[in-house]
Amino acid sequence: HFFQTRGHETFAAWTKRSGRYRDLIAKILRDEELPSDLVYLAMIESGFNPRAYSRARAAGLWQFIRHTGRLEGLRIDHWVDERHDPVKSTLAAARHLKGLYAKLGDWRLAAAAYNSGLGRVSRAMEKAGSRDFWKLELPRETRNYVPLFMAATIISKDPDQFGFDPIEIDAPQQFDRVKLTDYVSLKAAAKSMRMSLAALRELNPELIHNITPPGRRYTLHVPLGKGSDFQRRYDQLPAQGKPEIISYEVERGDNIS
């Protein structure tokens, strides 16, 4: 009812955006031997937006908080926040969901625990003396979360049956991977490939700044077909177009000026 009324336009927008990441997520779920329908958890979590950021400071397609993200192997530091990377965050979500299902043995309960935490769901089960999701006393958000996930899954398989006009799905996001041994400026990199900085940042949503992490190897995503000659083009740019990174350790008595 919600998706057919107040949530109709939102659901259509999510469905349109799903094309960018659905195949990528589905492949990882298959590789991890998880149900393919879990792709729609990302729809409910973020609307398939890797840059989504909630009031609870959860981030990315799968809305990890920092603590859980790091527990599942995601790097979060001054330079990168891998919660925003579609591939790395989906791998982390697959590990997390697999662990929840191993403990709970039911996908409704696992989805509830993904939303509100394993401890809360376990306590609700103990209090109710039941493993039936529908009988558990859980926060309102979680009571709505699981039905929303189920509804999104059902509607997505036959939108026409639920009153949705044909939706033009976005094309899958595709890119080449360039292995870097030194940092590069995204502004300069975008210029070397004759593309906008915004388009390059969209391919690399985990990067916090307009520069790749200095002092370590890094894999940069560039438009499909431009990976092979990227480094040559970048090296040909004037030196003044490539910013220098200087590391300074604050000493006692220093101030901003």
Side-chain angles (χ1 to χ4, degrees), residues 21-42:
Y21 308 107
R22 193 167 54 192
D23 291 349
L24 179 155
I25 296 172
K27 182 181 184 306
I28 291 174
L29 293 174
R30 284 196 305 272
D31 291 346
E32 296 295 324
E33 299 181 340
L34 290 170
S36 59
D37 285 347
L38 292 175
V39 69
Y40 298 106
L41 270 186

Side-chain angles (χ1 to χ4, degrees), residues 205-249:
E206 70 170 21
L207 289 174
I208 295 173
H209 307 285
N210 287 332
I211 195 166
T212 62
R216 67 182 190 236
R217 295 179 182 274
Y218 185 79
T219 300
L220 182 71
H221 296 165
V222 302
L224 194 66
K226 294 192 176 184
S228 58
D229 66 344
F230 162 75
Q231 197 70 60
R232 175 182 59 80
R233 286 176 176 272
Y234 185 83
D235 291 342
Q236 289 175 349
L237 290 175
Q240 60 265 31
K242 306 171 188 175
E244 181 182 3
I245 296 295
I246 298 172
S247 178
Y248 179 78
E249 187 171 343

Side-chain angles (χ1 to χ4, degrees), residues 6-82:
R6 288 187 299 119
H8 188 280
E9 290 186 11
T10 298
F11 187 85
W14 290 351
T15 301
K16 183 179 187 301
R17 194 185 300 134
S18 72
R20 302 180 197 178
Y21 308 107
R22 193 167 54 192
D23 291 349
L24 179 155
I25 296 172
K27 182 181 184 306
I28 291 174
L29 293 174
R30 284 196 305 272
D31 291 346
E32 296 295 324
E33 299 181 340
L34 290 170
S36 59
D37 285 347
L38 292 175
V39 69
Y40 298 106
L41 270 186
M43 174 180 266
I44 301 305
E45 287 289 340
S46 67
F48 291 110
N49 178 8
R51 291 199 176 278
Y53 196 81
S54 77
R55 287 176 295 177
R57 299 183 180 180
L61 283 176
W62 296 93
Q63 291 292 281
F64 279 109
I65 60 171
R66 283 175 175 261
H67 176 69
T68 308
R70 284 180 170 137
L71 282 178
E72 296 298 347
L74 295 177
R75 187 167 191 160
I76 305 167
D77 60 25
H78 178 73
W79 299 103
V80 300
D81 186 341
E82 292 182 346

Side-chain angles (χ1 to χ4, degrees), residues 138-155:
L138 292 165
R140 181 179 180 183
E141 178 187 338
T142 307
R143 294 200 309 272
N144 289 335
Y145 178 86
V146 174
L148 280 170
F149 162 55
M150 296 169 71
T153 303
I154 293 166
I155 296 172

